Amino acid sequence: QQPVQSPQAVILREGEDAVINCSSSKALYSVHWYRQKHGEAPVFLMILLKGGEQKGHEKISASFNEKKQQSSLYLTASQLSYSGTYFCGTESANYGQNFVFGPGTRLSVLP
Amino acid sequence: DTGVSQDPRHKITKRGQNVTFRCDPISEHNRLYWYRQTLGQGPEFLTYFQNEAQLEKSRLLSDRFSAERPKGSFSTLEIQRTEQGDSAMYLCASRSELRGWGTYNEQFFGPGTRLTVL
């Protein structure tokens, strides 16, 4: 079942912060975050595992609330290059099953 | 460049024709995924392989779609009797197999094949 993302879209000025949320109705093993620019393939940003482990870029932070099956991606001091569509992808607690992406959050950073 | 390649990058075909796409994953990755993405939507899971075994196939995938991964290396996705609704970007991603609790590996996406069915 597809995770839910919010907001659907957000517009920021350079230097502002944003939070993108992802929630699932299924028990999750991991949450992955990707950014996709128009006409390009998704690019990996962050993985969060059940149990608290994380792997990702230094300038990107995220959280994973296992009880609520929710994850949030924190973008601080946004740059023009942060513009794109952000997708969360989820794997269920039975890891190794199929990978489901959310509908995306479109982020636009203006100068 | 993630190391995952797809061919062709663009394909225009007429309704009713068959098309085949190829994906070459990162060589040491034994998991390979196919996704379909339409404008404004997230990638939609189609199927995935672990080595040469096709472990899961989306229930949404019609019988016109078939995928193979002979010898556990490259993979092909074939669409028979294409329909206009098949027009989309087809993405391939590869990944190392999860090994043990707490091991985590991201997917590396190829550039995609954009299919247009006229």
Side-chain angles (χ1 to χ4, degrees), chain A residues 34 36 41 55 91 96 98, chain B residues 37 48 56 95 106-107 110:
Chain A
Y34 288 81
Q36 186 176 32
K55 174 183 176 182
E91 285 182 302
N98 73 56
Chain B
Q37 187 175 28
Y48 91 94
E56 190 156 352
R95 186 184 192 190
E106 67 268 35
Q107 296 185 43

Side-chain angles (χ1 to χ4, degrees), chain B:
Chain B
D1 183 359
T2 62
V4 179
S5 61
Q6 292 187 244
D7 185 69
R9 295 289 304 277
H10 303 272
K11 179 70 176 179
I12 300 174
T13 191
K14 292 183 179 179
R15 189 176 55 185
Q17 298 294 305
N18 298 345
V19 294
T20 300
F21 309 140
R22 176 180 171 124
C23 171
D24 286 89
I26 294 171
S27 58
E28 60 267 28
H29 287 181
N30 51 10
R31 288 205 170 180
L32 187 149
Y33 299 75
W34 283 101
Y35 297 89
R36 175 173 59 193
Q37 187 175 28
T38 53
L39 196 62
Q41 301 297 315
E44 175 192 12
F45 170 81
L46 296 179
T47 188
Y48 91 94
F49 293 83
Q50 181 163 309
N51 300 313
E52 66 275 9
Q54 187 174 18
L55 295 188
E56 190 156 352
K57 188 174 176 181
S58 169
R59 292 172 296 168
L60 303 176
L61 209 59
S62 79
D63 292 340
R64 297 184 296 106
F65 287 72
S66 62
E68 294 182 339
R69 193 183 181 196
K71 302 179 183 178
S73 55
F74 71 92
S75 177
T76 58
L77 177 69
E78 182 183 16
I79 309 174
Q80 295 181 328
R81 304 181 303 281
T82 52
E83 303 173 356
Q84 288 184 323
D86 296 333
S87 294
M89 175 74 84
Y90 289 83
L91 294 165
C92 168
S94 73
R95 186 184 192 190
S96 292
E97 179 183 357
L98 299 174
R99 293 185 184 278
W101 187 256
T103 303
Y104 40 85
N105 296 291
E106 67 268 35
Q107 296 185 43
F108 293 83
F109 282 86
T113 294
R114 182 167 296 283
L115 173 67
T116 302
V117 181
L118 301 176

Side-chain angles (χ1 to χ4, degrees), chain A residues 22-80:
Chain A
C22 173
S23 63
S24 175
S25 60
K26 298 175 68 173
L28 298 177
Y29 169 72
S30 69
V31 179
H32 299 220
W33 287 95
Y34 288 81
R35 177 173 59 214
Q36 186 176 32
K37 294 185 179 286
H38 182 70
E40 300 179 6
V43 173
F44 167 76
L45 295 175
M46 172 77 72
I47 289 180
L48 302 104
L49 287 189
K50 180 178 179 178
E53 293 186 67
Q54 296 187 5
K55 174 183 176 182
H57 293 283
E58 293 179 357
K59 296 186 178 180
I60 301 288
S61 63
S63 64
F64 180 22
N65 185 323
E66 295 174 31
K67 289 184 180 179
K68 294 185 178 180
Q69 306 304 322
Q70 292 177 349
S71 178
S72 295
L73 184 70
Y74 305 98
L75 303 169
T76 57
S78 58
Q79 305 171 17
L80 295 176

